[in-house]
Every structure is written in C-alpha cells, then in structure tokens.
Amino acid sequence: MENIYWKAEGAENEVQCLCLGTGRFLRAVLVPALNHADLSPALIQTRGSSFYKYMKSRSKESSYQVDTVQVSGDITTQNVLCFGGFTLGSADGQNATWEFVNSLSHSVQIIGMGVTEAGLASANTPAMKSLMDLLKVLATKRRDAGNKICIIDMDNVPNNGDTIRSHLLNAAKREDDSIRLFIENFTVCLNTMVDRITSARPGSDGMVPRGEPLPAKALVILDPDGDLPAAFRDSSMATCGVIVRSTKQQLDADVALKLRIANGTHTAVAHALALQKLLLTDHLASPSANNLWMESYLESLVQHQIFAAAIPLFGEEETEAAWKDWKGRLIHPHFGLSSFFITQNGAAKAGIRWGPTIVELISNDKPITVAMVFAYSALVRWLT
C-alpha cells in the first residue's frame, strides 16, 4: 500500500516544529521563518491530501516553492525546506501522523496554526479538535520542565492566542486531568498580527504560493514572557518579516496602525476607483493616477487626518514607518487587488478603519478635512 504521507530522510531527528494546516499564507510566511531559525518544520493537512502528494512529487528537493512578484515585474522563486507532509483526512492518515509525532527525537518548540476565524469559533471546531489531538500525543512525550510549546496562529483574529487557549482549556475539561495540566504548564498561545497579500501561481492548483514582497511586519508575535525559542527572538528574524513584541501595548499599536493606515487607505481608495470602473489597485502605479490618488488624495488623508490622530498615540517613528511600508505595497504595479473585492462590507469596514481616527480628531478638537469627507462621500455613493 502506498504511504499516505511524505517525509524527508531522517526527519524524525530534525523536526522541532509542526504546522497544523498547509494554507498558502502559512507556507509563505511562517515556514520560511521557522527554517531561518533552524527549527525544521513538518506540515500536517487537517483534511485532504494535496500537500503531501505535492511534496512526494518534489521528494528529491525536500522543499516546496514560493513565488514573489517583485516591483519590477520579475518573479523570484524560493525553495522552502519542508521535512514532512501529513494528513488527518483519513484514519490511516491520522495513524501515520501520530506515529511520526511520537517518533520525534527533539521536543516540539512551535506549533503553527493555519486556522481561519471560523476555525476559532468554538472549542468544537475541527481545527480545535485536531489541535487537541496533537497536544494529547505530545503530552505523552513531554514531562520535563523545559521550554513551553509556543502555539502561533496565522490569521488576524483579534487576541487569537487568548482565544485558542480558552478553547483548549474548555476542551480539556472533557479529558484526563493530566491533559489540562500539560496545557497549563507546557504550552503558551501567543497573540499575533499577520500581513502579506498571498495568492497562488497560475496553473499550480493552489500548491505554489504567489505573494507580494515580504512586508516589514508580515508576522508580529506578542511574547511577554520570552517563551519563543531564542533563535526566533533574534533580530535577524526581521529579514523574514518577523517582529517579536514584549508588551500588549506594542502589539495593540501594530494592530491599530495596520487598521488605520493600511486597511483605512485601502478602503478609501478602493471605493473611489470602483466608482470609476477601475478594476485593480495596480492602476495606482501609473504616473497620472499616482499624482491624483496617491499624492493628492491619500497623502492628504494620511498626513492631515490619520497621522494627526495616530502620532500622539503611537509615536512618529512607528506611524510614519507603517505608511512608508504600506504606500510602497499599494502602488505595486504588478500585484493589484480587485477594487470591487475591497469594497465588500464597506460600511462596516469604514467604521472599524476610519472610526477611531475620527473619534480621536473630534475628541482633541482637530478638524475633519476634505479628504476624510471625500472618503465617506465615495463610500456612500458606492452604496447608493
């Protein structure tokens, strides 16, 4: 019978990280970072079998590919090391996965979670059940008082680490008390913020991630107690877009700046583009559009509204750096997004993305300028 998994030769003696989920974003951001830290990841698909089959087709390389679309239009391809591909999509797949986990000679340092908001809805979702099953296997292997297993979620669910921990402890009430003690004493669920626009290489059946150049804050992790492996906290991780924060206030500022600057300007310009029947945001890279929409409209919105509200709260350096990074991404001439897609749920998004800026401006007797009025006018016109 053909093996329903793939693993690199000697993987049992290399792997220190397991990823639950094989989504493109996780493979484009977290896995390269784990490799940079020499933490040797293996990936577990929670359903289906496409990933381990893809890895079998590339078994000689022991890697998968990630494409990056450069501003020049050139596409660079990275070969990302992977030490195993497994599936929980069948009973045989589950048996093979847990057998592999039991065979690991190193303690697992990190569990990466490719879980969406739906997967974190309750303790009873398939994703949370799979995580609990994995932890039960690890609990039989781990009785020392060494470093904790760090669980890192790769989706922008607010306070995602706190949510996962709450679900795990609720689910543990149905298990042997040793499982609860293992979760309490040997795991930590870290809150994160993630950010990289990622699609798929055409013709790859979704197996090859295709992303924009790596943003400065592709993965921000709150690690207040220093539980992450030392290599993951090294400053060189910034080359992988990984930033480790030590306080909740720092992560809250990162999230707020992303919402106000990146998401806020995206919403503001997308409605104006959609009203003109301009389908993609890469239109902003053309000289005429850049002068009109970037330098006149968005720069005014950012400088006179968003900065006026954000800099007193988050500091000039962090605020201006967030805009510099996002502005370069927004005018990427070869990686535009659908303006019509961005306008979905526009009314709700405006409240979340523009509301805090407006409240801060009014509370401090600062003016609402024509740029913000225009943003709302475009939104209302689009909705009506």
Side-chain angles (χ1 to χ4, degrees), residues 11-241:
E12 297 87 346
N13 299 319
E14 297 287 342
V15 169
Q16 299 180 59
C17 297
L18 298 169
C19 292
L20 200 58
T22 58
R24 292 190 297 270
F25 183 84
L26 179 145
R27 289 190 283 125
V29 175
L30 179 61
V31 178
L34 294 172
N35 277 308
H36 181 85
D38 293 324
L39 292 172
S40 304
L43 278 63
I44 302 169
Q45 193 169 0
T46 55
R47 59 183 185 271
S49 57
S50 56
F51 182 71
Y52 86 78
K53 290 179 179 177
Y54 169 71
M55 289 306 302
K56 275 189 174 183
S57 73
R58 293 181 53 81
S59 58
K60 291 182 180 180
E61 292 86 357
S62 295
S63 66
Y64 61 83
Q65 295 185 321
V66 174
D67 289 345
T68 298
V69 183
Q70 305 294 345
V71 174
S72 64
D74 293 336
I75 296 177
T76 56
T77 299
Q78 178 185 11
N79 291 311
V80 180
L81 287 176
C82 177
F83 292 80
F86 297 84
T87 179
L88 301 178
S90 66
D92 288 341
Q94 292 171 22
N95 290 336
T97 301
W98 305 142
E99 181 179 344
F100 174 74
V101 174
N102 269 316
S103 73
L104 298 178
S105 59
H106 293 292
S107 295
V108 171
Q109 307 282 313
I110 291 174
I111 296 175
M113 294 285 289
V115 179
T116 63
E117 186 172 1
L120 298 185
S122 76
N124 298 315
T125 65
M128 291 308 304
K129 289 179 179 178
S130 295
L131 177 59
M132 178 59 80
D133 288 341
L134 174 57
L135 291 175
K136 285 192 285 187
V137 175
L138 292 174
T140 65
K141 294 169 55 64
R142 178 81 174 256
R143 298 298 181 187
D144 61 279
N147 62 287
K148 295 181 178 180
I149 299 172
C150 296
I151 299 173
I152 299 175
D153 183 39
M154 298 299 292
D155 194 78
N156 277 321
V157 177
N159 302 308
N160 47 14
D162 295 339
T163 299
I164 290 172
R165 187 165 187 82
S166 175
H167 290 335
L168 287 175
L169 291 174
N170 283 333
K173 295 175 183 177
R174 302 190 292 267
E175 306 290 342
D176 184 274
D177 201 47
S178 63
I179 300 300
R180 177 185 60 80
L181 292 173
F182 175 77
I183 292 170
E184 289 179 348
N185 297 322
F186 293 102
T187 72
V188 58
C189 303
L190 303 176
N191 291 325
T192 62
M193 181 191 82
V194 298
D195 187 18
R196 187 186 188 185
I197 301 171
T198 308
S199 58
R201 176 194 291 176
S204 70
D205 293 325
M207 297 314 302
V208 179
R210 178 179 181 266
E212 64 176 333
L214 202 63
K217 295 179 181 177
L219 171 58
V220 183
I221 307 171
L222 175 58
D223 183 29
D225 299 316
D227 292 308
L228 282 168
F232 218 73
R233 289 183 274 115
D234 188 85
S235 59
S236 67
M237 293 300 294
T239 62
C240 302

Side-chain angles (χ1 to χ4, degrees), residues 269-279 283 292-293 340 382:
V269 78
H271 285 87
L273 293 176
L275 285 172
Q276 298 179 89
K277 301 180 181 180
L278 296 171
L279 301 183
H283 176 75
L292 175 61
W293 296 114
F340 295 98
W382 175 253

Side-chain angles (χ1 to χ4, degrees), residues 333-351:
H334 303 284
F335 206 87
L337 295 181
S338 166
S339 55
F340 295 98
F341 174 79
I342 299 167
T343 61
Q344 291 180 359
N345 302 314
K349 289 176 180 176

